Amino acid sequence: AQTVTQSQPEMSVQEAETVTLSCTYDTSENNYYLFWYKQPPSRQMILVIRQEAYKQQNATENRFSVNFQKAAKSFSLKISDSQLGDTAMYFCAFMKHRGSGNTPLVFGKGTRLSVIA
Amino acid sequence: DTEVTQTPKHLVMGMTNKKSLKCEQHMGHRAMYWYKQKAKKPPELMFVYSYEKLSINESVPSRFSPECPNSSLLNLHLHALQPEDSALYLCASSQDLATGKTEAFFGQGTRLTVV
């Protein structure tokens, strides 16, 4: 079974600074996808960024980027120029891919990020 | 339209009540999901529908009964719930479990309180 570990239950960052959220995972699969989802107090889970395991290039999405280390099974999220609206719970998630289809997301326990003015 | 709409947003029900949660998407997604989320915890998968057929049931008690009437709708029927079933219930959809289209889109959830 796949497991996703987020070792930082809570983090805080000053507005406009950079913060990195950690995520490690365990799998024997070779084809899979990794995601970071954001859940603000409004409750809705919002996709922040995704990474295909077969791609060596790290995904970026505006102020959000990842450091994907496949051999180390590490998938950290860097948020640059942090904004107050980034305050949320962040979940790292894993999805394995097979020829017969993908499987549902497996989530880590989450990191609560607070951006301080 | 990239929305997954869930109704109601809040629901309070007694242990003897029967109620239903509804989820709707018009993105043409063929996989739909129910998750249960307790406070400060990650979502836990309950059910997966693929092409309107139940493909995964994560050993959920029978007091939760899912239904997928068509490719756009997903219901969760609730009966004889317990107070510990109080949680946020999230619906999600993705294009197809069998393709490379992997993004799951989530609704805002239904906050359920069982009294």
Side-chain angles (χ1 to χ4, degrees):
Chain A
Q2 282 69 39
T3 58
V4 177
T5 301
Q6 293 179 249
S7 59
Q8 305 150 314
E10 293 189 22
M11 295 190 73
S12 61
V13 62
Q14 290 290 132
E15 198 175 6
E17 297 294 308
T18 296
V19 64
T20 299
L21 279 56
S22 302
C23 173
T24 58
Y25 58 95
D26 188 24
T27 184
S28 57
E29 303 285 332
N30 196 43
N31 292 328
Y32 53 88
Y33 304 89
L34 294 162
F35 305 86
W36 280 97
Y37 278 88
K38 165 185 176 181
Q39 189 176 36
S42 65
R43 311 183 322 207
Q44 185 157 16
M45 296 279 279
I46 302 164
L47 178 67
V48 175
I49 199 165
R50 76 171 224 173
Q51 174 82 41
E52 291 90 340
Y54 64 86
K55 288 187 178 178
Q56 291 187 334
Q57 187 172 8
N58 289 325
T60 62
E61 196 70 42
N62 300 316
R63 298 183 294 107
F64 300 89
S65 61
V66 298
N67 183 3
F68 174 49
Q69 302 288 330
K70 190 172 183 180
K73 296 180 183 174
S74 170
F75 183 61
S76 61
L77 175 70
K78 185 170 84 170
I79 306 174
S80 304
D81 186 25
S82 297
Q83 299 176 1
L84 296 177
D86 295 333
T87 293
M89 182 72 97
Y90 286 80
F91 291 99
C92 179
F94 172 99
M95 173 190 284
K96 61 184 176 183
H97 175 69
R98 290 190 177 142
S100 59
N102 299 330
T103 57
L105 294 165
V106 175
F107 288 94
K109 290 188 175 182
T111 296
R112 184 170 301 279
L113 177 68
S114 298
V115 180
I116 302 164
Chain B
D1 182 2
T2 57
E3 278 195 356
V4 176
T5 304
Q6 288 188 244
T7 54
K9 288 191 169 43
H10 301 272
L11 178 63
V12 179
M13 61 184 290
M15 289 188 282
T16 58
N17 290 160
K18 286 185 181 181
K19 296 286 183 183
S20 296
L21 308 185
K22 296 187 185 303
C23 174
E24 191 168 2
Q25 57 87 13
H26 296 287
M27 295 178 278
H29 290 174
R30 303 313 298 268
M32 296 185 76
Y33 313 78
W34 280 115
Y35 286 86
K36 174 183 177 179
Q37 187 179 24
K38 299 286 254 183
K40 299 184 180 181
K41 299 288 187 183
E44 298 175 5
L45 184 68
M46 300 175 72
F47 302 104
V48 181
Y49 274 83
S50 179
Y51 288 86
E52 295 126 66
K53 287 185 169 34
L54 183 65
S55 61
I56 295 177
N57 176 344
E58 291 288 306
S59 303
V60 179
S62 60
R63 58 186 184 268
F64 295 92
S65 175
E67 179 197 20
C68 190
N70 60 56
S71 59
S72 299
L73 291 174
L74 184 67
N75 299 322
L76 186 63
H77 303 299
L78 314 173
H79 174 53
L81 294 193
Q82 304 296 310
E84 59 264 28
D85 296 322
S86 299
L88 180 68
Y89 288 83
L90 291 166
C91 174
S93 69
S94 63
Q95 183 134 350
D96 187 333
L97 283 178
T99 69
K101 306 291 185 181
T102 55
E103 281 92 333
F105 292 82
F106 284 81
Q108 282 199 307
T110 295
R111 175 79 63 195
L112 174 67
T113 303
V114 181
V115 296

